[in-house]
Amino acid sequence: MSPIPGSGLAKGLAVTLRTMTKKTVTAQYPDAQPELPPRTRGVIGLFEENCTVCMLCARECPDWCIYIDSHKETVPPAAPGGRERSRNVLDRFAIDFALCMYCGICIEVCPFDALFWSPEFEYAETDIHELTHERDKLREWMWTVPAPPALDPASEEPKELTAARKSAEKLAASQPDRSTPATPATPAAPAAPVGTSAPAEEPADPGKQTEPVKPSAQAGKQTGPEKPSAQAGKPSAQPEKPTPPAPSAQPDPADPREGES
């Protein structure tokens, strides 16, 4: 079915009639600031402490509107005998907003969270050359960056937090608990043998708590008279055998020669 001639004009006039009856609302800018969404892409802020001069943002920028200059410095070793390290020091970080198309690629590729979106938008200039803002101006815009939205309570825990928590638990499990050191048990003094005097006790330390000494089982037994040892009755050496007496010189009555002499 072909449209009725003039139907489009009638619809347009109907919209005009509906809006004519409503109250007009005019934003009185700049006296009244507009209410912008919290994540508005106004301008780019720089957090200089996180920048490592990796040049990823400048290489990935499709408009080539980011200018970075740096130099290298030698860092002394942290421990004696270590090796010296070199690091990049940022000298210049500038963005030409006359060329920027606000794509946000530089913010997405930054691995160290040095660039952020700021809702600030009042940076118009009368000269196009003044739209190239240096790092001092970019740092001032950093303090206008809103806080990130809160995480969803039902969402999955970030992988970085999970890995950090597992590492901390593994380190805590591998180390012994040094908060409550165990007190070494004091060995009991050996019982003195019967008949010998016990050694003199050392004076007690007033700052050290000593446990009461339990009476030993031998202390309750009554000891009788000392028994002579088995070695006491034995002679120290075997007695010599008695030598037979020498024969006397008396005459033998059976010998006839004794009478002749």
Side-chain angles (χ1 to χ4, degrees), residues 10-260:
K11 290 180 180 179
L13 291 175
V15 174
T16 303
L17 292 174
R18 284 197 303 267
T19 55
M20 286 176 61
T21 58
K22 294 181 180 180
K23 183 181 178 180
T24 58
V25 178
T26 303
Q28 302 297 327
Y29 179 81
D31 298 333
Q33 294 292 331
E35 295 181 2
L36 301 176
R39 310 305 296 177
T40 300
R41 294 187 176 189
V43 76
I44 299 174
L46 170 66
F47 192 61
E48 187 177 340
E49 285 76 5
N50 287 357
C51 182
T52 60
V53 200
C54 63
M55 306 294 289
L56 277 177
C57 56
R59 289 199 299 264
E60 297 296 333
C61 178
D63 294 332
W64 291 81
C65 63
I66 300 177
Y67 311 108
I68 299 176
D69 294 333
S70 65
H71 68 278
K72 289 187 177 182
E73 287 185 356
T74 302
V75 181
R83 296 178 57 185
E84 295 182 348
R85 298 183 299 112
S86 61
R87 67 174 182 179
N88 295 324
V89 180
L90 183 65
D91 294 332
R92 184 195 181 198
F93 194 104
I95 299 178
D96 187 0
F97 286 98
L99 299 176
C100 180
M101 63 180 184
Y102 304 93
C103 63
I105 294 178
C106 57
I107 298 176
E108 297 295 332
V109 300
C110 181
F112 300 104
D113 293 337
L115 298 175
F116 297 88
W117 279 118
S118 169
E120 190 69 27
F121 63 94
E122 296 179 326
Y123 53 93
E125 301 291 345
T126 57
D127 189 0
I128 192 174
H129 299 287
E130 296 179 359
L131 286 176
T132 302
H133 296 287
E134 300 292 334
R135 62 176 182 175
D136 296 336
K137 187 64 176 180
L138 300 179
R139 185 176 180 84
E140 292 178 5
W141 285 331
M142 180 63 203
W143 312 126
T144 62
V145 175
L151 299 177
D152 187 1
S155 62
E156 185 180 356
E157 185 180 19
K159 297 180 180 180
E160 295 82 2
L161 295 180
T162 304
R165 179 172 49 82
K166 289 183 179 180
S167 300
E169 292 176 357
K170 186 182 295 184
L171 182 61
S174 62
Q175 294 181 352
D177 188 7
R178 300 179 180 179
S179 58
T180 55
T183 304
T186 305
V194 179
T196 60
S197 59
E201 297 182 356
E202 297 181 358
D205 188 0
K208 183 179 180 182
Q209 297 181 1
T210 57
E211 298 181 358
V213 181
K214 297 181 180 180
S216 61
Q218 296 181 0
K221 295 182 181 180
Q222 296 181 0
T223 56
E226 298 181 1
K227 295 181 181 181
S229 61
Q231 296 181 358
K234 295 180 181 181
S236 59
Q238 294 182 0
E240 298 179 359
K241 295 181 179 180
T243 55
S248 59
Q250 298 179 1
D252 187 2
D255 191 358
R257 290 178 299 178
E258 293 291 337
E260 295 177 359

